[in-house]
Amino acid sequence: MKKKIAAILMCGVMAASLLTGCGSSDSGSQNTSAGETKAADTQAEGQGTEGTGEEVSAVTLDGSWPAQKVTIGVEAFDTTDEQFLALQEYLDYLTEYYNIEFMYSESIANAEGEMDFIDSCASAGCKAILAYYNVAGAEAIQRTIDQGMYYWGTEQYAADFEDNEMYLGCYTFTEEGKAENGDYLGGYELGYSLGKQGVQHVFYCNGGASFGIQMFIDRQAGFEAGVAAAQAEGAEIQYDASKDVIEGWPGTDDFTAAVGAKLAEDYDGAAVSFNAATLFQPIADAGKNGQIKIAAIGGVNDTYYDAVQNGEISTIVYDCEEVVFGNAVAQILNAVTGHVDKTRTADNKCGKILTYRWTITDTDTFNQIYDYHDGGNYFVSAQDLTNCLAEFNPDVTFEDVAAYYTAFDLDTAIAGIQ
């Protein structure tokens, strides 16, 4: 793979008003390769923050800050999921520069498993929970808070905890700068894109929708709306919710049998609300390589690389890990180092950070993002993160942090690496 040069000036592509968000340094917010020296990720004493004239704290990124190690629990629904593995890689990268560590759950199948993990985190001295997943709803948030840990994530219960400073808010997906139901939008892109790409008959793998998990319910509703929207614009795509849905998860006999049955019919498209790699082997076994276009909510990674190059994957709705989920680290580190006010809005409510899902429908865009990450780069590097932390940038506000992460729509991100 072609390697990208590992020094990209990200904030140079952002609007001028956002250059001062998170208090960017005079030299800009520069992404550096994980393979470069840590000296490149060091804040020099007395370095000024743009627009403030204040001095940045003389804490260096040598893994010694914060002074007391911060352990953060991370919940996952599937520890083999490619997106989770990419997030884990980013979080582990941050441990090279900050005195933090992450305690990862096993795959959480039910509310009992989630509560057990929260209890284990408390016993292990975790300071916060990064809820990449939530199955127990508000009960999980309350259990975390009751045990003296901060909680980040799970938007649908944010209103219930917005006045509690132990709840650090969440990300919220956005479209054109407005808060939207991101899972609905993601599902919509799957259905709409396949319709516009000329797919005639599509089946849909709905994951946890049949088990009442809201994110998957929303994705299915969005998918069906996307198909309808494509049809309204003249697409000939056909979908019948009573016949064209495969329920549940891979790894079960019912799922395997259902996929085999669908592949024996006339489908030329498949939409997957989770890891689409589960379809690769069944499609090959059915002798239908190149005959079915797949759209998935997934990652830009090795799992999908070949399938994108050969056209088998035609659409990926991608949540850039360091943007969508990584902002939790800024919130958590500000809170645990005595700056919880930096995680709150002007009216002292929990903060919601708007983030974009990136819909990728062409090989070139996929490859640019893939090559950038493959070169050891992140759209939000360890250096960039310091600009969102009060210990490094005393004048930072929650609004600054939110504006910084919201700026990363797909076009802006791609412009920054070209």
Side-chain angles (χ1 to χ4, degrees):
M1 302 296 172
K2 181 177 66 176
K3 300 295 184 180
K4 297 288 184 182
I5 295 174
I8 306 298
L9 193 62
M10 284 301 304
C11 285
V13 300
M14 297 183 181
S17 62
L18 291 178
L19 281 169
T20 56
C22 282
S24 301
S25 68
D26 290 338
S27 59
S29 176
Q30 187 177 42
N31 284 336
T32 56
S33 168
E36 292 187 282
T37 64
K38 292 186 181 181
D41 268 330
T42 301
Q43 289 283 350
E45 184 172 5
Q47 179 185 7
T49 57
E50 183 174 310
T52 67
E54 297 293 332
E55 289 190 349
V56 177
S57 175
V59 180
T60 60
L61 295 188
D62 60 0
S64 65
W65 184 88
Q68 183 176 358
K69 179 168 285 188
V70 174
T71 304
I72 301 168
V74 183
E75 295 182 88
F77 70 89
D78 179 2
T79 57
T80 67
D81 178 75
E82 289 294 333
Q83 184 186 75
F84 173 76
L85 292 174
L87 172 62
Q88 185 176 14
E89 183 176 325
Y90 175 65
L91 296 178
D92 289 348
Y93 150 78
L94 291 179
T95 67
E96 299 176 29
Y97 301 94
Y98 296 92
N99 192 18
I100 58 177
E101 64 182 359
F102 295 92
M103 177 176 170
Y104 299 98
S105 74
E106 300 295 328
S107 299
I108 293 176
N110 50 45
E112 181 181 4
E114 182 174 20
M115 293 303 187
D116 287 345
F117 177 67
I118 291 171
D119 291 345
S120 295
C121 286
S123 297
C126 289
K127 300 297 184 183
I129 294 290
L130 191 165
Y132 178 77
Y133 182 62
N134 174 295
V135 66
E139 186 179 357
I141 301 174
Q142 191 62 58
R143 181 76 148 256
T144 300
I145 292 172
D146 288 345
Q147 300 201 66
M149 297 180 290
Y150 291 99
Y151 187 98
W152 176 93
T154 317
E155 178 188 3
Q156 59 263 45
Y157 301 102
D160 298 332
F161 294 91
E162 64 180 2
D163 294 319
N164 191 320
E165 290 192 347
M166 298 298 291
Y167 176 71
L168 299 179
C170 55
Y171 69 88
T172 300
F173 286 116
T174 184
E175 184 177 51
E176 298 180 351
K178 300 178 295 183
E180 300 285 355
N181 183 319
D183 287 305
Y184 180 92
L185 290 175
Y188 182 98
E189 292 294 334
L190 301 182
Y192 183 79
S193 295
L194 288 175
K196 299 299 284 186
Q197 290 165 358
V199 166
Q200 300 289 300
H201 194 187
V202 62
F203 66 86
Y204 179 72
C205 300
N206 76 354
S210 304
F211 304 110
I213 299 175
Q214 192 62 47
M215 64 184 285
F216 291 102
I217 293 172
D218 293 340
R219 289 178 184 184
Q220 183 168 349
F223 167 76
E224 293 172 356
V227 169
Q231 290 171 335
E233 295 179 10
E236 297 180 358
I237 187 170
Q238 297 299 309
Y239 166 77
D240 183 339
S242 68
K243 297 185 295 185
D244 298 334
V245 174
I246 296 177
E247 299 182 342
W249 303 105
T252 65
D253 291 341
D254 288 346
F255 183 89
T256 301
V259 170
K262 290 290 184 287
L263 293 176
E265 300 182 41
D266 65 348
Y267 294 95
D268 62 343
V272 188
S273 63
F274 48 89
N275 187 352
T278 188
L279 296 184
F280 293 167
Q281 192 59 50
I283 288 173
D285 291 344
K288 290 198 169 183
N289 279 338
Q291 300 177 41
I292 295 179
K293 290 184 177 180
I294 301 173
I297 295 177
V300 178
N301 50 45
D302 290 333
T303 296
Y304 293 139
Y305 185 86
D306 288 339
V308 170
Q309 309 309 309
N310 64 31
E312 187 173 13
I313 295 278
S314 63
T315 298
I316 290 179
V317 178
Y318 174 48
D319 304 342
C320 180
E321 294 81 15
E322 62 263 35
V323 175
V324 175
F325 309 107
N327 62 77
V329 179
Q331 295 288 82
I332 291 170
L333 285 180
N334 274 331
V336 301
T337 56
H339 304 285
V340 72
D341 59 304
K342 304 297 187 178
T343 73
R344 311 292 289 176
T345 63
D347 58 353
N348 199 31
K349 302 293 184 182
C350 69
K352 294 184 180 181
I353 295 177
L354 302 183
T355 59
Y356 284 94
R357 274 191 150 144
W358 300 351
T359 300
I360 301 169
T361 58
D362 65 279
T363 303
D364 184 59
T365 299
F366 178 94
N367 288 347
Q368 288 185 76
I369 297 170
Y370 178 90
D371 289 348
Y372 186 66
H373 280 157
D374 192 47
N377 306 298
Y378 291 103
F379 290 95
V380 181
S381 70
Q383 170 72 24
D384 296 328
L385 184 59
T386 64
N387 294 322
C388 297
L389 299 174
E391 291 285 323
F392 294 80
N393 182 8
D395 287 346
V396 72
T397 66
F398 167 74
E399 286 71 23
D400 294 332
V401 176
Y404 175 73
Y405 283 96
T406 300
F408 288 97
D409 60 17
L410 179 58
D411 290 342
T412 299
I414 292 297
I417 64 177
Q418 290 176 333

